[in-house]
Amino acid sequence: MTDRDTLAQLVDTVRRYVRERLVPLEAEVAEADSIPEQVRREMAEMGLFGMSIPETYGGLGLDMQAEVEIVRELGWASPAFRSLIGTNNGLGSQGLLIDGSEEQKREWLPRIASGELIASFCLTEPEAGSDAASLKTRAVRDGEDYVLNGTKRFITNAPTAGVFTVMARTDPNNKGAGGISAFIVDARTPGISLGRPNVKMGQKGAHICDVIFEDARVPARNIIGGREGQGFKTAMKVLDRGRLHISALCCGTAERLIHESVTFALERRQFGQPIGEFQLIQAMLADSRTEAFAALAMVRETARRFDGGEKIATDAACCKYFASEMVGRVADRAVQIHGGSGYIADYPVERFYRDVRIFRLYEGTSQIQQIVIGRAMLREARGG
Ligand code: COS
């Protein structure tokens, strides 16, 4: 368990860094669609690329309760900054941490924790999004290697990645989840190429692109956990944790949006008084505050149970579903409170409104979360 004093200090350091260093850079990053190299170095020095990686492998070794507090702080600034360190702590490294062998962990995790390598997670494909188990990328055993062929889509941080966690089908006769294996793949492997970075609605400065495998030879020892057929389950376990991480981010971003809303409501005068004096504005503020508080309480409770060793797949889906929809509503109200100004790029809420839209889509859409929750309810009722 992360020591509470250490955590309080870290939260304080990250809070000051986010508010004093990152927030003033937001507009510049959005304009340039790029995060300055110096920021990457600073985040690496603070250990943020390896928050969730154990100290044995060079990380900060935060537990989930600590991680959600730090991610919440990061959520106060443009989510592109969090995205820079997001995959190293989450999707890109957790497959290795959860199911990898000791040798694999020692080989890769220290460089991921230090930020020397960016780690990305290759699950989604052009024809396999929500239905992840239908993925088509193949991995065919050939001597001491597997030969990978296929295309992965919308891969976060792929343009700068040094290593990929790749889900590929090793059993062509099994078209479902059981035919999938996970691999740890060096991005410099011949046969791997990248598509052009996609032009996105928001989160400028964070980049995604296709990753294309054409006869890319990956050593057989790089199969995560050493066994075929486990890759889909590995991916699902990684996503359970990732969904909680994103939920914490949604809480932080909602708090920033509420801050912007309150600040504007106090400054902006109409009908002879600050608009915050009007109860219809107060109602919107109150709804946002209430929902953000509810989401944070859910996230903290689920993180506590995760650290206690409980299964949290269903609750992580509840958190992701509620928190991502919540921040969408909070962003919408923030624009509404700002009136016409909320539609203008001079105010950060215009940018955040676009930035938060992805939260309801990636790491499982809201509809996928509903399916995960609904199915679990029926399974429990049947006693399974
Ligand atoms: N942890 C461990 N194992 C899990 C699991 C979890 N959270 N969820 C499912 N599994 C296991 C199941 O127990 C099952 O194993 P058995 O065959 O041994 O019973 C196997 O994985 C297949 O599960 P299931 O039958 O539920 O798979 P489905 O194809 O029906 O898919 C959903 C389930 C829809 C939930 C899954 O495809 C999903 O999460 N899709 C969204 C993907 C996503 O988030 N994409 C974003 C990409 S990353 S930005």
Side-chain angles (χ1 to χ4, degrees):
M1 191 175 152
T2 307
D3 170 68
R4 296 298 109 179
D5 288 341
T6 313
L7 176 61
Q9 269 177 19
L10 189 60
V11 166
D12 187 56
T13 307
V14 173
R15 177 173 294 187
R16 275 192 281 115
Y17 179 73
V18 166
R19 295 177 191 214
E20 291 166 19
R21 173 77 169 135
L22 299 185
V23 170
L25 284 173
E26 285 176 342
E28 181 189 320
V29 164
E31 178 72 22
D33 194 14
S34 161
I35 295 176
E37 185 51 34
Q38 178 62 21
V39 168
R40 179 182 155 150
R41 278 199 292 273
E42 289 160 5
M43 291 176 110
E45 274 163 27
M46 292 166 83
L48 295 179
F49 283 92
M51 285 191 290
S52 62
I53 296 175
E55 287 167 286
T56 348
Y57 308 113
L60 296 183
L62 300 187
D63 60 18
M64 199 65 213
Q65 293 169 90
E67 182 177 330
V68 301
E69 298 304 325
I70 301 299
V71 174
R72 173 189 174 208
E73 292 303 328
L74 291 171
W76 186 270
S78 282
F81 292 113
R82 193 287 324 179
S83 190
L84 185 64
I85 56 110
T87 52
N88 277 38
N89 286 292
L91 302 186
S93 66
Q94 287 296 324
L96 265 181
L97 261 171
I98 297 170
D99 284 335
S101 67
E102 189 54 34
E103 194 190 344
Q104 290 169 339
K105 291 180 191 176
R106 290 201 179 280
E107 182 176 356
W108 295 100
L109 289 176
R111 284 178 292 158
I112 295 174
S114 69
E116 180 191 332
L117 285 182
I118 295 292
S120 283
F121 181 73
C122 298
L123 176 65
T124 300
E125 297 183 358
E127 290 174 57
S130 290
D131 185 6
S134 71
L135 64 82
K136 292 197 173 62
T137 295
R138 281 165 297 130
V140 178
R141 183 78 191 239
D142 182 28
E144 288 305 297
D145 299 326
Y146 282 89
V147 180
L148 268 63
N149 279 285
T151 298
K152 296 293 181 177
R153 181 135 296 172
F154 304 148
I155 306 305
T156 302
N157 288 335
T160 49
V163 61
F164 298 109
T165 297
V166 183
M167 267 52 68
R169 192 168 300 284
T170 39
D171 182 355
N173 299 318
N174 184 340
K175 305 274 182 233
I180 297 170
S181 304
F183 295 87
I184 185 88
V185 180
D186 189 323
R188 296 166 306 181
T189 306
I192 298 180
S193 59
L194 302 176
R196 286 160 62 98
N198 297 96
V199 178
K200 306 189 273 56
M201 176 188 283
Q203 299 210 13
K204 305 283 185 206
H207 300 128
I208 64 172
C209 70
D210 280 3
V211 181
I212 303 139
F213 297 87
E214 289 168 303
D215 291 332
R217 296 188 84 88
V218 176
R221 65 182 164 81
N222 283 22
I223 194 163
I224 292 181
R227 273 196 306 146
E228 286 190 5
Q230 299 303 307
F232 187 79
K233 287 183 188 170
T234 300
M236 288 299 114
K237 287 183 263 181
V238 167
L239 281 167
D240 287 341
R241 202 179 175 290
R243 288 167 184 168
L244 197 49
H245 175 112
I246 295 297
S247 306
L249 179 65
C250 292
C251 293
T253 305
E255 286 162 0
R256 168 71 184 281
L257 283 157
I258 292 167
H259 166 77
E260 296 294 338
S261 302
V262 173
T263 306
F264 188 85
L266 287 171
E267 281 167 4
R268 171 74 173 162
R269 297 179 70 87
Q270 286 293 276
F271 304 102
Q273 56 182 340
I275 61 168
E277 297 298 330
F278 294 108
Q279 290 186 344
L280 291 180
I281 298 287
Q282 289 172 12
M284 285 193 274
L285 292 173
D287 284 355
S288 291
R289 169 79 189 260
T290 305
E291 290 190 56
F293 181 35
L296 183 61
M298 288 171 81
V299 168
R300 284 177 162 165
E301 168 64 7
T302 308
R304 188 184 64 74
R305 288 204 266 119
F306 179 90
D307 288 337
E310 292 180 42
K311 288 207 165 76
I312 52 106
T314 311
D315 293 338
C318 293
C319 288
K320 166 72 163 57
Y321 178 39
F322 184 75
S324 63
E325 295 281 337
M326 174 279 292
V327 74
R329 291 190 293 271
V330 169
D332 190 69
R333 286 186 205 110
V335 170
Q336 197 65 20
I337 290 166
H338 279 69
S341 302
Y343 199 66
I344 303 298
D346 297 350
Y347 289 85
V349 296
E350 181 274 338
R351 191 181 60 241
F352 273 99
Y353 180 80
R354 290 180 286 106
D355 287 346
V356 302
R357 190 62 184 83
I358 189 64
F359 296 145
R360 292 158 61 193
L361 303 172
Y362 67 8
E363 304 207 17
T365 61
S366 290
Q367 289 67 34
I368 288 294
Q369 310 309 330
Q370 288 173 299
I371 286 170
V372 170
I373 299 160
R375 278 188 189 177
M377 292 168 72
L378 297 183
R379 205 169 44 238
E380 280 159 24
R382 290 191 190 109

